Amino acid sequence: MTWLVASGVVIGVGTLSIASWAEHAHGEAIAHTMAVVTFSLFALLFSVATKDQQQTAFSLDTFSDPMFTKMTGISVLTLILATFLGPLQAILDTVPLSFTQWLLCLAVSASILVVSEVVKAVGRRSGQTEVSTTV
Amino acid sequence: MTGDGVNDAPALKKADIGVAMGITGTEVTKEAAVMILTDDNFSTIVKAVELGRGLYDNLTRYIRFQMGCLFGFIVTFLGSSILYILAGVPFLPLQTLWINFTTLLFQAIGLGYGQPSEGLMQRKPRSPSQPILTRG
């Protein structure tokens, strides 16, 4: 539970950091869009991190699961469409983002992977070999 | 406890897991048991355990993911209100729905219906009373 709360804090702080910066630098429309993109990327990367509580996410096994890989691809596609497709822009009040803005969102959201890997590494080093199916 | 005869039924009922034989077992035994081996083969129990562990693993992954994202939403909205970022509304209503019905939904499906983790059968058994949510 502690890990889940910590993850939530990382996700929230990261999203709000981007939103706050973008609001002052680019205005409300881009700030909202970047907040949506950042949070979605956080969720996506968090799902990769939670796929296995012991094994690192940076392994070939992470995307050896066809169902998970397919769903991840669909998530990425819908996220991109939400910012680039005209009708969706009108419905969701989003605006196109530049490549740099996308990179910024991705860099901040990657922090959840970093935190997760550190926690897993500590767990492996402390010799946790018991069933880790608790949340 | 495994059994096939009527006299095994009380023991099967009382056991943590009662396993009845599907071919040679009586109906009374099957009713009392939690698991029925349809091929009367003990090695099938291993497969059943593997499937059960896989199901439980997928369930906990799904719950972990949903809870983590839920806390993320809480912190985001609470933080936005307290710090007055984007006038306290970090995501517009339809944007919030979009996140929930696309990324969160698809990733939850991927975790819940995906392949179980590697090495599940090498892990130690889990206590039946062990909660899904713990403090750690």
Side-chain angles (χ1 to χ4, degrees), chain A residues 117-130:
Chain A
E117 289 301 310
V118 168
V119 169
K120 286 181 190 178
V122 168
R124 282 194 297 268
R125 228 172 250 185
S126 67
Q128 284 179 357
T129 53
E130 299 220 13

Side-chain angles (χ1 to χ4, degrees), chain A residues 1-5 7-9 11-13 15-17 19-20 23 27-28 31-33 35-36 39-41 43-44 46-48 50-55 61 64-68 71-75 78-79 81-82 88 91-94 129-135, chain B residues 53 56-57 60-61 63-73 75-80 83-87 89-92 94-96 98-99 102-111 113-118 120 122-126 130-136:
Chain A
M1 195 71 170
T2 309
W3 159 238
L4 295 177
V5 174
S7 301
V9 170
I11 292 171
V13 167
T15 303
L16 290 176
S17 302
S20 176
E23 187 180 16
E28 203 174 295
H32 270 128
T33 305
V36 169
F39 192 95
S40 298
L41 288 173
L44 208 138
F46 183 58
S47 73
V48 173
T50 57
K51 197 167 182 301
D52 195 315
Q53 220 175 359
Q54 294 175 359
Q55 208 178 11
D61 290 333
S64 63
D65 184 351
M67 172 64 88
F68 184 75
M71 288 297 132
T72 302
I74 294 173
S75 296
T78 54
L79 181 60
L81 287 176
L88 284 178
I91 294 167
L92 301 174
D93 273 317
T94 53
T129 53
E130 299 220 13
V131 170
S132 299
T133 52
T134 54
V135 180
Chain B
R53 287 189 175 194
Y56 191 82
D57 188 55
T60 53
R61 281 194 295 186
I63 291 174
R64 276 202 305 265
F65 172 70
Q66 292 286 28
M67 292 295 287
C69 290
L70 175 67
F71 285 126
F73 265 124
V75 171
T76 303
F77 276 93
L78 213 55
S80 177
L83 301 172
Y84 203 66
I85 295 171
L86 287 173
V89 182
F91 313 122
L92 299 176
L94 283 177
Q95 291 172 352
T96 307
W98 182 259
I99 294 170
T102 56
T103 306
L104 295 194
L105 177 66
F106 294 138
Q107 295 312 110
I109 290 173
L111 289 172
Y113 286 94
Q115 287 173 356
S117 306
E118 292 290 324
L120 275 181
Q122 281 68 49
R123 297 182 186 180
K124 291 182 184 175
R126 167 183 58 86
Q130 183 177 294
I132 290 179
L133 292 176
T134 59
R135 284 186 185 216

Side-chain angles (χ1 to χ4, degrees), chain A residues 3 10 25 51 59 80 88 94-95 98 108 121 123 125:
Chain A
W3 159 238
V10 170
K51 197 167 182 301
S59 77
I80 293 171
L88 284 178
T94 53
V95 294
S98 68
V108 170
R125 228 172 250 185

